[in-house]
Amino acid sequence: SDVIGVSGGRRWIQFIGVGVLTTAVAAVVPLQLRPLQADSLFKRGLMGHHRHGRYEQATHWYRRAVALAPERDHYHLYLGTALTAQAKQQSDAIRRDELYRDAVAEIGIARRQRPLHPVYAESLARLYLEWARASEEPDESAGRLHREISPHKLRRAPGHAVQPLKHVVPDTTNTWPESDDQATLQTD
């Protein structure tokens, strides 16, 4: 009788051990698969839609990838790029400005994640220029964009001293406009 009780106790311990192990594996495996799933969603947006000019569909897939892996800075960059392309195609000024603001937010996230990477600063600068060119009222656009890129709004990254864009991007890049009439967009 004691032998049967000990044997039955061991079986329960084995059963519980298998259950705990299964639960642990079930909890860990999805965490390990998230980056792979996110990458698959990102590539679906890039290869299936973005490269073919279907920016709204690309945005859908990029948002899903960002939701799974928000730490991947290039997902935010491509989402911002797709939003910028959508904004350029938008005829409604209010919707266009919303898309540009969303694009600024996404590229800004990428820039905060990697503050010294020149591609993100350059992308933001180009986005602001495109936004200004798309505006129907240049004076209003210049004022609004000046407010958008004011130094206090650039300092959103905790722990990072964000410099104006021209100080982050090396002088060898062609980030800033060369004509005097567009120079008002600079943050000096």
Side-chain angles (χ1 to χ4, degrees), residues 38-92:
D39 199 45
S40 176
L41 294 170
F42 170 76
K43 287 179 181 172
R44 188 168 182 180
L46 178 65
M47 306 299 263
H49 301 287
H50 197 132
R51 290 193 176 163
H52 301 288
R54 295 187 297 264
Y55 303 113
E56 193 169 336
Q57 293 91 339
T59 299
H60 167 78
W61 293 108
Y62 293 153
R63 286 190 194 281
R64 290 185 62 190
V66 164
L68 285 175
E71 73 282 356
R72 298 230 172 147
D73 53 295
H74 64 283
Y75 292 178
H76 294 281
L77 174 67
Y78 278 86
L79 176 54
T81 303
L83 289 166
T84 301
Q86 278 182 271
K88 287 167 43 175
Q89 296 173 345
Q90 185 59 244
S91 59
D92 177 31

Side-chain angles (χ1 to χ4, degrees), residues 118-129 133 164-178 182 185-186:
V119 169
Y120 302 134
E122 183 176 350
S123 295
L124 275 173
R126 289 182 195 278
L127 190 157
Y128 283 123
L129 288 174
R133 288 178 183 149
L165 296 179
K166 71 177 188 175
H167 296 290
V168 176
V169 180
D171 291 335
T172 57
T173 61
N174 186 12
T175 302
W176 295 105
E178 296 181 13
Q182 295 173 352
L185 297 176
Q186 296 181 15

Side-chain angles (χ1 to χ4, degrees), residues 12-172:
W12 275 106
I13 291 172
Q14 289 173 344
F15 180 74
I16 291 171
V18 168
V20 169
L21 180 61
T22 303
T23 303
V25 168
V28 170
V29 168
L31 293 176
Q32 292 176 340
L33 292 178
R34 286 181 86 117
L36 295 173
Q37 291 171 329
D39 199 45
S40 176
L41 294 170
F42 170 76
K43 287 179 181 172
R44 188 168 182 180
L46 178 65
M47 306 299 263
H49 301 287
H50 197 132
R51 290 193 176 163
H52 301 288
R54 295 187 297 264
Y55 303 113
E56 193 169 336
Q57 293 91 339
T59 299
H60 167 78
W61 293 108
Y62 293 153
R63 286 190 194 281
R64 290 185 62 190
V66 164
L68 285 175
E71 73 282 356
R72 298 230 172 147
D73 53 295
H74 64 283
Y75 292 178
H76 294 281
L77 174 67
Y78 278 86
L79 176 54
T81 303
L83 289 166
T84 301
Q86 278 182 271
K88 287 167 43 175
Q89 296 173 345
Q90 185 59 244
S91 59
D92 177 31
I94 294 171
R95 178 68 180 134
R96 182 178 54 236
D97 285 348
E98 288 173 2
L99 289 166
Y100 276 125
R101 279 192 188 89
D102 290 348
V104 167
E106 290 301 327
I107 296 173
I109 291 169
R111 185 166 178 245
R112 284 190 296 279
Q113 288 178 348
R114 294 187 61 194
L116 297 179
H117 197 295
V119 169
Y120 302 134
E122 183 176 350
S123 295
L124 275 173
R126 289 182 195 278
L127 190 157
Y128 283 123
L129 288 174
E130 288 178 19
W131 191 0
R133 288 178 183 149
S135 177
E136 296 167 2
E137 298 181 29
D139 292 338
E140 180 183 320
S141 173
R144 181 179 60 241
L145 291 179
H146 181 70
R147 286 189 303 276
E148 291 287 334
I149 59 177
S150 67
H152 106 72
K153 287 197 173 193
L154 288 176
R155 288 187 174 79
R156 291 184 187 174
H160 294 286
V162 179
Q163 299 295 320
L165 296 179
K166 71 177 188 175
H167 296 290
V168 176
V169 180
D171 291 335
T172 57

